[in-house]
Amino acid sequence: MSRLSLDDLNPAIRNVQYAVRGELAIKAEQYRIKLQQNPTSTGLPFNHIISSNIGNPQQKGLDQPPLTFVRQVAALMEYRDLKNLALHVFPKDVIARADELWEEIGSIGAYSHSQGVPLIRKHVAEFIQARDGHPANPDHIFLTGGASAGVSLLISMLISEPGKSGILIPIPQYPLYTATLAQFSGVPVPYYLDETNEWSTSASEIRSLLEKTRQEGKIQPKALVIINPGNPTGSLLDRKTQEEIIDLCYQYNLVLLADEVYQTNLHRRATHPFTSFKKVVVESGKDVALVSFHSISKGVFGECGRRGGYFECTNINDDVIAMMYKMVSVGLCPPLQGQIGVDCMVRPPKEGDESYALWKKETDAIHKALAQRTAHMAAALNAVEGVGCVDSPGALYLYPRIYLSRKAVEAAKAAGKEPDAFYALALLDATGICVVPGSGFGQKEGEYHYRLTCLCPGVEEYVGKLVEFHDDFMKKYPNA
């Protein structure tokens, strides 16, 4: 009997690439293990790994503190006896929240409704209505194991003709989209963001792309992905652009997939506010099919490991929603602690609640730290010759462009690497800083970038290492 081999697997899986946890992350983990096993004699020029490759706020080394309210509610749902064993420890509003959820859910060791706990979906609908000023239907809301699960479900359902069904995705993009398209044999249709204008989205360019695709007749565009605020760019769409995108989706019969998981990560709210696509679609009066995604992994929550999120369907037929329900029921239900996290996200403590003062103190501190780090890092990188960086108004990342010499590009090709991956590997080897090369997100031919998070503490030392490395790299590979 022969062993299972790659030839026995679904060939679509071989095309899946996910740069955020790719070669750089694997090598960084090898270094991390080496440092743990023998910290005094590794021969490495650094003593710890800085995981700047992924938006994982509570990861060891990044250490964003969890929000007390969320953890207290989770604790009482996990172990009900704590309420009596730890008298006078939990605030009254925490106890009331846990009691309300327990009455609805019971033990979190049991399956819930496949679409998510009905009471929590009701609370999500109330959150959406308060945010947008328009009603939301709990029956059109699905709780999910993180936003990624919802994205994967929708893309899998939209690929009606493998090898022909296309999804328009922004470049640069979050690799989840190309990975999921590869998995389900969908076709990515890339449209490019404008780096010279804060990574803005051009509706006219998307229209030109759609016309070209329609004339060629090889790909059938089914949906348009918007990431707002952007990942990896941190860009925010203005209302006018959102309206133009909705017009495009209406004209070309596209489903609008709105990835809005960073909607509370706003560093300059006065000039770069967030407006949901749900609000703009409803106020446009156009019958545009919209699916909006949100998550507890980002924002100020950072509860990535709990796997909690939701998506809302707008202008989607009931029979299609029934098909979505059938598909999610195959997985039985999303994680209960993730669902509880969603409830805490959409119903945080209110002014006057016992937990409110601490909640506000904790969330204000996180917002302030992220905004300060982002501005400091962008300014420092922009002061370096051969680096250009848009000061992101949102999300958790910067996406600097690096101007590499011909000598560096040739050295990368000789090593069998993309030039920015070659640069990022050298950065990891020299400093222990793990970033994601721009080639993993997509970029224009002949351009090179990398993505790094703004979550890392000790930003002065961290950015100092980036600057020092870049100077050394450019000396090693100078312009001719």
Side-chain angles (χ1 to χ4, degrees):
M1 177 179 175
S2 61
R3 290 188 177 183
L4 182 69
S5 71
L6 291 177
D7 291 337
D8 298 315
L9 304 181
N10 181 339
I13 293 174
R14 300 179 205 171
N15 298 323
V16 173
Q17 300 289 333
Y18 189 66
V20 173
R21 290 184 180 262
E23 179 184 14
L24 269 295
I26 292 169
K27 190 172 187 181
E29 185 59 25
Q30 292 169 348
Y31 280 151
R32 195 189 317 276
I33 293 169
K34 190 174 183 179
L35 288 164
Q36 287 175 344
Q37 292 175 341
N38 198 358
T40 58
S41 58
T42 61
L44 298 173
F46 48 85
N47 56 19
H48 66 286
I49 296 295
I50 299 175
S51 300
S52 193
N53 60 305
I54 190 167
N56 190 18
Q58 295 182 33
Q59 180 175 339
K60 194 172 182 179
L62 301 183
D63 302 325
Q64 178 177 301
L67 299 177
T68 302
F69 177 79
V70 179
R71 291 305 177 88
Q72 288 179 331
V73 172
L76 289 180
M77 289 300 295
E78 196 74 44
Y79 185 33
R80 288 294 291 161
D81 290 347
L82 273 180
K83 183 171 68 169
N84 299 318
L85 292 173
L87 294 173
H88 313 300
V89 170
F90 295 95
K92 293 183 179 63
D93 56 328
V94 169
I95 293 171
R97 176 67 59 86
D99 287 348
E100 179 188 19
L101 291 172
W102 182 269
E103 183 67 26
E104 172 78 8
I105 298 169
S107 171
I108 63 169
Y111 294 130
S112 76
H113 189 288
S114 293
Q115 198 169 335
V117 173
L119 179 66
I120 298 178
R121 286 189 280 118
K122 176 176 176 287
H123 293 154
V124 172
E126 291 168 352
F127 160 80
I128 293 169
Q129 179 165 348
R131 182 193 66 191
D132 298 336
H134 301 288
N137 184 346
D139 292 335
H140 294 174
I141 293 166
F142 288 74
L143 303 185
T144 55
S148 299
V151 169
S152 296
L153 171 67
L154 265 295
I155 289 179
S156 71
M157 293 180 67
L158 286 167
I159 305 304
S160 57
E161 192 171 348
K164 185 170 183 180
S165 297
I167 309 287
L168 281 85
I169 58 172
I171 297 297
Q173 54 97 30
Y174 179 45
L176 165 68
Y177 292 96
T178 45
T180 306
L181 284 166
Q183 181 182 355
F184 295 106
S185 300
V187 183
V189 183
Y191 65 91
Y192 288 87
L193 307 182
D194 182 1
E195 185 172 8
T196 65
N197 188 25
E198 293 190 330
W199 292 111
S200 62
T201 300
S202 169
S204 62
E205 288 194 15
I206 296 175
R207 184 183 301 278
S208 297
L209 176 62
L210 285 164
E211 284 298 323
K212 180 183 176 184
T213 303
R214 174 186 281 181
Q215 290 169 10
E216 291 175 346
K218 297 177 182 178
I219 300 169
Q220 180 189 7
K222 302 292 294 292
L224 170 63
V225 172
I226 294 287
I227 308 175
N228 185 45
N231 177 9
T233 64
S235 59
L236 275 139
L237 296 180
D238 58 33
R239 176 72 181 245
K240 179 176 180 293
T241 303
Q242 289 180 280
E243 291 169 349
E244 291 170 349
I245 288 167
I246 289 166
D247 287 343
L248 280 176
C249 291
Y250 182 78
Q251 179 181 349
Y252 291 91
N253 196 29
L254 299 173
V255 178
L256 179 54
L257 303 179
D259 182 336
E260 299 176 335
V261 302
Y262 298 98
Q263 62 186 260
T264 60
N265 290 122
L266 307 175
H267 311 319
R268 303 196 294 276
R269 292 171 185 262
T271 57
H272 294 77
F274 168 79
T275 304
S276 77
F277 265 102
K278 165 68 178 295
K279 179 178 178 66
V280 185
V281 164
V282 171
E283 292 175 2
S284 76
K286 291 184 169 64
D287 189 26
V288 170
L290 167 69
V291 183
S292 308
F293 304 91
H294 198 9
S295 170
I296 66 171
S297 297
K298 311 304 177 185
V300 292
F301 267 65
E303 294 284 355
C304 302
R306 288 184 185 275
R307 309 313 299 136
Y310 72 80
F311 65 84
E312 181 197 15
C313 299
T314 303
N315 298 328
I316 304 287
N317 290 341
D318 287 344
D319 56 350
V320 175
I321 290 176
M323 193 67 69
M324 292 177 186
Y325 177 76
K326 180 179 77 170
M327 293 308 297
V328 298
S329 68
V330 174
L332 298 174
C333 74
L336 265 296
Q337 277 289 15
Q339 296 188 56
I340 291 164
V342 170
D343 193 81
C344 293
M345 178 179 73
V346 300
R347 284 201 304 163
K350 301 186 299 293
E351 194 166 1
D353 290 345
E354 191 175 348
S355 297
Y356 178 78
L358 180 58
W359 168 274
K360 188 168 189 336
K361 178 182 176 182
E362 291 174 341
T363 54
D364 284 353
I366 294 170
H367 280 304
K368 182 178 179 181
L370 288 171
Q372 288 179 340
R373 287 176 192 156
T374 301
H376 178 88
M377 291 166 63
L381 289 169
N382 278 320
V384 179
E385 184 178 355
V387 179
C389 185
V390 175
D391 184 1
S392 302
L396 303 175
Y397 315 101
L398 289 172
Y399 194 62
R401 181 177 177 181
I402 47 176
Y403 295 83
L404 300 180
S405 67
R406 180 180 296 178
K407 187 174 182 181
V409 172
E410 289 173 351
K413 290 180 179 178
K417 304 292 182 185
E418 292 292 333
D420 47 16
F422 181 74
Y423 179 98
L425 284 163
L427 172 66
L428 175 61
D429 292 341
T431 66
I433 298 173
C434 182
V435 299
V436 188
S439 48
F441 296 93
Q443 55 199 347
K444 292 179 180 177
E445 184 71 26
E447 292 186 358
Y448 311 109
H449 300 79
Y450 63 87
R451 189 193 78 168
L452 70 166
T453 75
C454 302
L455 294 164
C456 301
V459 68
E460 287 80 8
E461 178 190 1
Y462 166 49
V463 175
K465 289 183 177 181
L466 290 171
V467 171
E468 182 181 357
F469 167 78
H470 183 81
D471 288 341
D472 290 343
F473 187 89
M474 297 306 287
K475 288 174 185 175
K476 184 175 181 180
Y477 302 102
N479 287 306

